[in-house]
Amino acid sequence: MGKGKIVLAFSGGLDTSICIPLLREHYGFDEIITVAVDVGQPEAEVARATEKGRMLADNHYTIDVREKFVTDYVFPAIKANGSYEGYPMGTALARPLIAEEIVRIAEEEGASKIAHGCTGKGNDQLRFDFVFRSAGYEIVAPMREMNLTREWEICYAQEHNIPVSVGKKNPYSVDENCWSRSIEGGRLEDPAFHPPEEIYAWTVSPEKAPDVMEEVRIRFERGVPVALNGKSLPGLALIQELNQIAGQNGVGRNDMIEDRILGLKAREVYEHPAATVLLAAHRDLEHLVLTRQELVFKQIIDTKWSELAYMGLVHEPLFYALNAFIDTTQERVNGTVDLGLYKGSVKILGRSSGNALYSDDLVSFDSTTIDQNHAIGFSNYFGLQARLLRNLKKE
Ligand code: ARG
């Protein structure tokens, strides 16, 4: 008597591919169902997953959730200025959605167990497990449980006629969705090693970018981008087009040491051209339309939001509460921001909004709307306690 059915989160890479025979032979499952979830990884990769899943598993699903990913995960991240240790999160945002889709298929298929190919060293195991356990599934994670080496995996794959693309030519581990591309592993594991140009796919090197600045205009409604250079676009198309434009100008590269949830420090390289531009524009627009009090408090909320999102704790009640606060503030984040992209840098050129809390009539050097004498009264009390203390010390 075998162990029945299991649903496997499937990318088509080496790890998840060898999971199929491992689940059969080593774990004793009778039926393996693979699910590839398309969040905007390269088309060839999705096609490879579909082909391999159909070839190796008993049943395979490929699910395109790119629009949902943008609307339900990337847009909230923009509203929250979502970034972790200084970079716009990408992988972290996609994992919960991928996990939800796997759960949906497991329900449809009547499977009681879910498998994934995450190792026991990274963040993704925790983000996946959180969703799978919340939904009541038992988890099988061969990579984590069996402590396998790359070499063993490659041999095992070859024995099972599984095509292997990892090797000398492709020594890195890449995770990609439409918001961000991350590269790790191989020689990058030496933090002192300078990344070679070949690891980048979305951005040109800033030195090789055009010598003239390229201008872009982003229009926001309720905190999310709705138009690029005057053209209204759905979220996914807007991000894809902006990735092209900003990537050509060398914008959005990041090489950093990151603190993983487990506490391990890891060397990570990222590309996120559109994210860099959109987050810069969004932050700037918030400064035009939100009050000082809102801005200061929202920074705390944004930091907490980002921490929970990084950990994949998207069903944590606090996360819902933070989103509710953020959504309230975003009702007024409408307007346009002009930016200049030049050899890897992004600068704000100008901004405007019908909700601007800005009055040139009040602030201008040339206006007399404000009677400046009124400021003298304000100034009399300004810093009063500190002044008193300073005088005490003098005596
Ligand atoms: N460090 C990032 C995160 O935890 C990205 C990890 C992506 N994985 C990869 N194989 N490149 O979200």
Side-chain angles (χ1 to χ4, degrees):
M1 214 355 228
K3 284 201 193 144
K5 233 184 218 186
I6 189 160
V7 173
L8 168 66
F10 190 65
S11 71
L14 176 64
D15 285 345
T16 58
S17 295
I18 66 160
C19 276
I20 300 172
L22 282 174
L23 289 168
R24 271 200 200 104
E25 294 170 5
H26 182 79
Y27 287 89
F29 285 97
D30 308 298
E31 209 180 325
I32 324 289
I33 293 145
T34 46
V35 183
V37 183
D38 183 359
V39 286
Q41 53 276 56
E43 271 169 40
E45 215 175 279
V46 178
R48 178 191 67 176
T50 307
E51 194 187 319
K52 273 183 155 181
R54 285 191 185 139
M55 180 174 86
L56 302 168
D58 298 289
N59 195 1
H60 173 83
Y61 294 81
T62 294
I63 309 165
D64 180 357
V65 294
R66 289 174 303 163
E67 296 282 357
K68 188 177 170 59
F69 174 56
V70 169
T71 318
D72 295 356
Y73 294 81
V74 174
F75 278 2
I78 295 173
K79 295 193 239 182
N81 300 310
S83 69
Y84 179 75
E85 295 189 336
Y87 79 96
M89 281 170 279
T91 301
L93 298 178
R95 294 303 176 191
L97 174 58
I98 295 172
E100 293 296 348
E101 293 300 314
I102 308 284
V103 166
R104 199 168 57 72
I105 299 296
E107 273 164 17
E108 264 177 48
E109 286 277 347
S112 64
K113 295 191 174 78
I114 291 177
H116 63 67
C118 303
T119 69
K121 294 186 179 178
N123 295 323
D124 289 335
Q125 53 171 341
L126 303 170
R127 298 166 179 152
F128 271 165
D129 288 359
F130 171 66
V131 175
F132 297 149
R133 287 218 172 85
S134 311
Y137 286 87
E138 239 179 82
I139 296 155
V140 179
M143 300 302 125
R144 176 168 68 185
E145 290 157 19
M146 297 180 69
N147 259 314
L148 307 171
T149 64
R150 276 266 130 159
E151 222 173 307
W152 187 93
E153 289 184 14
I154 292 171
C155 275
Y156 185 79
Q158 281 160 350
E159 280 165 25
H160 288 80
N161 293 319
I162 296 172
V164 177
S165 56
V166 190
K168 285 213 176 66
K169 245 183 81 218
N170 178 22
Y172 306 106
S173 164
V174 175
D175 182 67
E176 196 169 322
N177 60 51
C178 60
W179 190 234
S180 154
R181 180 169 180 271
S182 83
I183 313 109
E184 57 181 25
R187 292 192 67 193
L188 297 173
E189 286 178 353
D190 172 3
F193 175 69
H194 298 199
E197 244 341 270
E198 75 207 26
I199 68 165
Y200 298 104
W202 290 12
T203 53
V204 303
S205 136
E207 301 90 90
K208 298 226 170 88
D211 293 324
V212 283
M213 186 178 78
E214 181 161 1
E215 290 186 25
V216 290
R217 167 170 287 186
I218 318 281
R219 187 158 61 82
F220 287 87
E221 267 168 34
R222 293 175 169 256
V224 302
V226 294
L228 173 60
N229 295 331
K231 186 170 64 176
S232 292
L233 285 173
L236 177 63
L238 189 148
I239 289 167
Q240 286 170 331
E241 196 171 326
L242 190 55
N243 268 333
Q244 287 286 336
I245 299 172
Q248 281 161 16
N249 286 285
V251 167
R253 286 189 178 183
N254 211 335
D255 176 345
M256 58 179 292
I257 300 296
E258 172 173 328
D259 293 283
R260 289 187 185 159
I261 305 165
L262 289 178
L264 293 169
K265 284 192 186 287
R267 199 276 185 86
E268 302 275 356
V269 182
Y270 296 105
E271 295 182 279
H272 36 65
T276 300
V277 175
L278 291 172
L279 291 182
H282 177 264
R283 243 183 238 118
D284 185 78
L285 187 56
E286 281 192 331
H287 277 268
L288 185 63
V289 301
L290 299 185
T291 66
R292 175 161 64 183
Q293 297 293 343
E294 284 179 304
L295 286 169
V296 169
F297 193 70
K298 185 166 181 291
Q299 207 167 37
I300 302 169
I301 301 297
D302 288 349
T303 306
K304 193 68 202 173
W305 188 98
S306 296
E307 188 189 316
L308 293 175
Y310 183 73
M311 295 194 277
L313 292 176
V314 296
H315 301 299
E316 158 67 48
L318 178 61
F319 195 68
Y320 296 128
L322 298 179
N323 275 312
F325 168 84
I326 290 168
D327 280 340
T328 308
T329 64
Q330 298 303 293
E331 277 164 23
R332 283 178 285 125
V333 184
N334 307 314
T336 61
V337 182
D338 293 339
L339 307 100
L341 315 178
Y342 180 67
K343 289 190 177 291
S345 75
V346 178
K347 72 174 172 190
I348 307 286
L349 300 173
R351 71 289 275 165
S352 68
S353 168
N355 299 110
L357 301 179
Y358 176 90
S359 162
D360 54 355
D361 181 43
L362 293 180
V363 78
S364 171
F365 286 111
D366 302 323
S367 86
T368 51
T369 313
I370 282 182
D371 180 350
Q372 294 186 42
N373 283 292
H374 292 166
I376 299 170
F378 186 96
S379 166
N380 273 336
Y381 294 95
F382 186 64
L384 178 65
Q385 298 180 349
R387 275 160 43 205
L388 288 172
L389 181 64
R390 194 169 167 184
N391 284 333
L392 271 184
K393 281 187 185 152
K394 259 193 236 155
E395 277 163 19

